[in-house]
Amino acid sequence: MADYPLHLVRRRKLADGREVVVRPMRAEDAAAEREFLTRVDYDRHMAFVCEAADGAIVGNSRYVVNPDGRSCEFGVVVSDDWRRSGVAQLLMEALFRAARARKLDTMEGLVSSENRDMLAFARALGFEAGAQPADPALVRVVKKL
């Protein structure tokens, strides 16, 4: 496993004035991140968390490199109390930087076709949305990095 990428830690202030830290996930985040945590190797699997001033983890973004070695699958989750705060944007920006540094070409994900907020968010970030013929309940979003 690679060393913890300390250079990726960023302190940010949200539009509402709250301060957060966006940083790569650490093993010791397991207690706060039980529902999100898997083994992150900082190479083929990168994950970021957004930590509020009180130490609470309020969001998570991650990518896993696909077998082709050139693209990755992403996911982002934000606590209900922190939605529409800018946390998801910060987490995705961190993910984009890390994926570009890893020299990945494409980031993609699956979104429920009913999740209009996430589809709008993905489009605002530059993802293109396309139908999933195998499952019309899902939309594949793809972004060139």
Side-chain angles (χ1 to χ4, degrees), residues 11-12 14 17-21 50-58 82:
R11 293 193 178 281
R12 296 289 187 254
L14 302 175
R18 291 183 287 185
E19 293 188 12
V20 297
V21 174
C50 184
E51 184 177 339
D54 65 1
I57 302 297
V58 299
W82 289 78

Side-chain angles (χ1 to χ4, degrees), residues 90-119:
L90 293 174
L91 287 165
M92 290 304 297
E93 288 171 2
L95 214 56
F96 294 151
R97 279 193 306 275
R100 287 180 183 122
R102 170 85 169 51
K103 308 247 189 279
L104 296 175
D105 297 325
T106 308
M107 186 175 284
E108 55 192 44
L110 293 173
V111 179
S112 167
S113 59
E114 295 178 5
N115 191 344
R116 296 185 195 283
D117 288 343
M118 182 60 185
L119 290 170

Side-chain angles (χ1 to χ4, degrees), residues 127-142:
F127 284 86
E128 293 183 18
Q132 272 298 96
D135 188 349
L138 296 175
V139 174
R140 178 162 294 283
V141 293
V142 179

Side-chain angles (χ1 to χ4, degrees), residues 9-107:
V9 176
R10 303 274 193 279
R11 293 193 178 281
R12 296 289 187 254
K13 185 175 246 183
L14 302 175
D16 65 8
R18 291 183 287 185
E19 293 188 12
V20 297
V21 174
V22 176
R23 62 172 172 76
M25 186 179 285
R26 298 183 301 245
E28 52 271 24
D29 293 327
E33 281 293 302
R34 262 193 237 306
E35 67 271 20
F36 302 129
L37 189 68
T38 59
R39 295 206 181 260
V40 176
D41 67 10
Y42 307 119
D43 179 36
R44 296 191 64 77
H45 184 184
M46 174 59 83
F48 289 88
V49 295
C50 184
E51 184 177 339
D54 65 1
I57 302 297
V58 299
N60 169 296
S61 68
R62 66 182 58 238
Y63 70 70
V64 177
V65 177
N66 291 324
D68 66 10
R70 304 302 306 153
S71 65
C72 63
E73 190 86 16
F74 84 97
V76 61
V77 179
V78 175
S79 297
D80 288 343
D81 294 347
W82 289 78
R83 291 207 174 147
R84 299 190 186 281
S85 67
V87 165
Q89 176 84 26
L90 293 174
L91 287 165
M92 290 304 297
E93 288 171 2
L95 214 56
F96 294 151
R97 279 193 306 275
R100 287 180 183 122
R102 170 85 169 51
K103 308 247 189 279
L104 296 175
D105 297 325
T106 308
M107 186 175 284

